[in-house]
């Protein structure tokens, strides 16, 4: 099992290219099932989750060509509508094949999903929406089985804001008969990116970027080309790295217009930030100030940046209060940060972080994707050597993270396990 050895690395300086967004690429890859024509995606990140999904689709008969950051799909000869447990258990996003399969083929059999252990992420909203559109659904032996001769348009009010639920039901609705209205829909940039790709494929979607989507079903979709949006979480992670190490970093191929809440917190922490259409320049020459954070659905502060901002607060001047409202089990990185000298109190879903002047290198264990990133960040600030174990989580969501950081002055070595 691979490990990262992270050495004290301050004053990072240089340019980092932001990759395509994992959380946008995954649903858009699944959208290839909606058409018999060729779908070409560019700016696709080379990540473990993408390769897992490629394997899943290939097992269904989809022809996939993945070269550099371009993926080409041909789903004209799908031979299976089954997503097996062996693949789905490793990645929760596999549930996103459910609705495209039912919408185009009238049947799907998908294992209940797995992924990071950061709390309950139920699929009840996906099932509720499909049933409202006329699908018959049973859950047997750990599999969701759904069938419908053709889905029908419906008005669906989400009980909670769910990104994957919105994405899945949007893909169901584009081929349904009639009009579907999704209310209390997720507004995340990754949801919007999927909508833009579907529109290029011939879908009729109104209200893109809002919490009410009106989707007029069409008989079929056609092929298209689409570039995946920049990863705002990867960009945010590297921005924190700049602030944490009192560095001077320019993020290229970024989308600052999707990162307002993140940028606002970094400015409050004391960072000097300049942004353009496709770049963010972050400079920090002092100890950060503690900031308070409440995680909420977009456009508020994202849960996927909570762990990274916690690391910044660990070494900040003052005390920061973090409130996690999205997932109930997303503080598993706290004991690991405390092993490095952090001073953090947990009270339910609130973490009170008392800033310290120093962290110390230690052997720590990654518990989920974003926790992994927070420990790498802490290791760069810490005195001595930090060994981050179980980094397979990290490889699910960050493309060549140690290479990108080393290119701007970090000292991180991957040990093959």
């Amino acid at each position: 099992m691979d490990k990262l050895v992270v050495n004290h690395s301050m004053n990072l300086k240089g340019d980092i290219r932001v990759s395509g967004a994992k959380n946008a690429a995954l649903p858009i890859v699944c959208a290839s099932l909606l058409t018999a024509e060729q779908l070409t995606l560019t700016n696709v990140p080379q990540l473990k989750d993408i390769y897992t999904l490629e394997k899943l689709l290939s097992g269904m008969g989809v022809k996939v060509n993945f070269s550099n950051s371009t993926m080409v799909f041909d789903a004209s000869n799908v031979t299976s509508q089954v997503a097996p447990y062996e693949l789905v258990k490793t990645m929760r996003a596999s549930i996103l094949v459910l609705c495209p399969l039912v919408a185009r083929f009238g049947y799907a059999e998908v294992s209940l999903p797995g992924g990071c252990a950061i709390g309950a992420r139920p699929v009840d909203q996906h099932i509720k929406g499909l049933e409202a559109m006329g699908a018959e659904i049973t859950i047997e032996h750990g599999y969701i089985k759904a069938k419908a001769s053709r889905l029908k348009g419906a008005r669906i009010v989400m009980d909670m804001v769910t990104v994957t639920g919105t994405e899945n039901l949007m893909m169901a609705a584009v081929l349904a008969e009639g009009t579907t209205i999704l209310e209390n829909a997720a507004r995340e940039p990754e949801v919007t990116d999927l909508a833009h790709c579907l529109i290029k494929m011939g879908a009729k979607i109104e209200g893109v970027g809002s919490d009410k989507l009106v989707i007029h079903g069409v008989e079929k979709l056609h092929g298209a080309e689409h570039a995946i949006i920049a990863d705002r979480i990867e960009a945010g992670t590297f921005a924190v790295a700049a602030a944490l190490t009192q560095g001077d970093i320019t993020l290229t191929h970024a989308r600052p217009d999707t990162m307002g809440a993140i940028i606002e917190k970094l400015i409050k922490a004391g960072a000097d930030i300049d942004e353009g259409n496709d770049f963010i320049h972050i400079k920090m020459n002092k100890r950060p100030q503690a900031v308070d954070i409440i995680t909420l659905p977009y456009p508020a502060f994202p849960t996927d940046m909570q762990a990274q901002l916690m690391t910044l607060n660990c070494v900040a001047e003052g005390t920061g209060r973090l409130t996690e409202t999205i997932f109930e089990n997303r503080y598993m990185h706290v004991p690991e940060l405390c092993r490095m000298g952090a001073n953090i109190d947990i009270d339910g879903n609130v973490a009170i972080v008392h800033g310290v002047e120093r962290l110390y290198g230690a052997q720590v264990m990654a518990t989920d994707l974003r926790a992994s990133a927070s420990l790498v960040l802490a290791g760069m600030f810490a005195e001595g050597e930090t060994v981050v174990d179980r980094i397979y989580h990290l490889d699910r969501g960050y493309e060549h993270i140690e290479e990108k950081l080393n290119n701007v002055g970090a000292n991180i070595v991957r040990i093959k396990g």
Side-chain angles (χ1 to χ4, degrees):
M1 196 176 293
D2 289 6
K3 303 177 182 181
L4 286 183
V5 179
V6 186
N7 294 282
H8 181 69
S9 310
M10 293 296 287
N11 309 120
L12 301 185
K13 187 172 184 179
D15 296 352
I16 299 179
R17 188 189 195 283
V18 179
S19 299
K22 171 185 86 91
N23 289 339
L26 293 173
I28 294 173
V29 165
C30 294
S32 65
L33 290 166
L34 289 166
T35 179
E37 298 182 19
Q38 183 173 289
L39 177 65
T40 300
L41 303 178
T42 58
N43 200 37
V44 181
Q46 298 178 56
L47 299 171
K48 187 176 179 181
D49 275 9
I50 300 293
Y51 292 119
T52 299
L53 199 50
E54 176 187 19
K55 187 175 181 181
L56 176 62
L57 293 182
S58 296
M60 294 177 174
V62 180
K63 295 179 181 177
V64 186
N65 185 295
F66 194 0
S67 177
N68 296 321
S69 61
T70 299
M71 295 187 87
V72 181
F73 302 88
D74 177 358
S76 59
N77 188 31
V78 171
T79 55
S80 172
Q81 288 87 45
V82 178
Y85 171 74
E86 289 71 26
L87 291 174
V88 177
K89 71 177 180 180
T90 65
M91 186 181 65
R92 184 178 184 275
S94 303
I95 192 68
L96 287 165
V97 302
L98 174 66
C99 287
L101 288 171
V102 178
R104 183 169 163 218
F105 300 104
Y107 183 76
E109 190 173 327
V110 180
S111 172
L112 289 166
C116 284
I118 58 172
R121 291 185 283 180
V123 295
D124 58 315
Q125 298 302 301
H126 309 235
I127 293 170
K128 169 190 167 183
L130 272 179
E131 287 179 332
M133 298 170 76
E136 296 178 21
I137 296 180
T138 57
I139 298 178
E140 300 174 1
H141 309 294
Y143 280 79
I144 303 169
K145 298 182 180 181
K147 62 180 179 179
S149 55
R150 186 181 180 188
L151 297 172
K152 310 288 186 183
R155 178 175 176 266
I156 302 166
V157 181
M158 306 280 199
D159 294 335
M160 55 184 287
V161 177
T162 161
V163 171
T164 53
T166 300
E167 291 165 342
N168 229 345
L169 296 176
M170 193 194 315
M171 289 191 282
V174 293
L175 291 180
E177 182 182 343
T179 297
T180 299
I181 300 173
L182 295 180
E183 296 196 49
N184 198 26
R187 300 164 56 191
E188 271 69 6
E190 297 78 17
V191 176
T192 298
D193 202 33
L194 170 63
H196 287 152
C197 181
L198 292 172
I199 290 169
K200 290 178 183 177
M201 296 167 70
K204 297 180 179 178
I205 306 173
E206 300 170 6
V208 175
S210 76
D211 61 0
K212 181 179 179 179
L213 299 172
V214 180
I215 304 155
H216 306 286
V218 297
E219 288 288 333
K220 65 177 183 177
L221 298 182
H222 52 69
E225 292 187 14
H226 182 75
I228 301 297
I229 193 173
D231 194 322
R232 63 194 172 105
I233 305 303
E234 185 196 53
T237 301
F238 292 138
V240 171
L244 185 74
T245 65
Q246 296 184 26
D248 186 347
I249 289 178
T250 299
L251 303 174
T252 65
H253 299 83
R255 281 287 300 272
D257 59 314
T258 67
M259 297 173 58
I262 300 169
I263 291 171
E264 177 191 354
K265 292 301 180 183
L266 287 171
I267 291 172
K268 283 188 175 181
D272 293 321
I273 295 182
D274 181 32
E275 59 185 86
N277 289 334
D278 62 354
F279 76 88
I280 307 170
H281 176 232
I282 309 101
K283 188 174 183 179
M284 189 83 152
N285 55 15
K286 57 188 175 183
R287 186 180 177 190
Q289 295 292 314
V291 292
D292 294 336
I293 294 162
I294 300 176
T295 64
L296 289 165
Y298 187 84
F301 193 87
T303 181
D304 280 356
M305 281 298 302
Q306 174 258 109
Q308 299 91 311
L309 259 290
M310 181 181 287
T311 297
L312 189 66
N313 270 343
C314 284
V315 302
E317 195 170 334
T319 296
R321 182 184 179 92
L322 284 73
T323 305
E324 174 61 61
T325 73
I326 307 297
F327 296 120
E328 74 276 9
N329 196 23
R330 205 162 198 179
Y331 285 146
M332 291 189 291
H333 48 285
V334 169
E336 306 303 303
L337 289 171
C338 289
R339 282 173 53 78
M340 301 176 70
N343 183 357
I344 306 169
D345 298 319
I346 301 294
D347 182 10
N349 68 332
V350 176
I352 300 168
V353 186
H354 310 282
V356 297
E357 292 189 7
R358 293 182 178 85
L359 294 177
Y360 301 94
Q363 186 152 357
V364 292
M365 182 177 66
T367 52
D368 63 69
L369 170 54
R370 306 307 172 184
S372 307
S374 74
L375 297 176
V376 172
L377 293 172
M380 289 193 297
F381 184 88
E383 296 178 5
E385 180 181 277
T386 298
V387 179
V388 184
D389 205 350
R390 292 177 64 181
I391 60 165
Y392 59 86
H393 291 294
L394 194 70
D395 293 334
R396 287 186 48 231
Y398 290 92
E399 185 177 40
H400 313 307
I401 187 170
E402 71 272 23
E403 293 178 22
K404 291 187 175 186
L405 288 170
N406 285 343
N407 285 340
V408 293
N411 184 351
I412 304 173
V413 178
R414 179 180 290 257
I415 305 298
K416 294 289 186 179

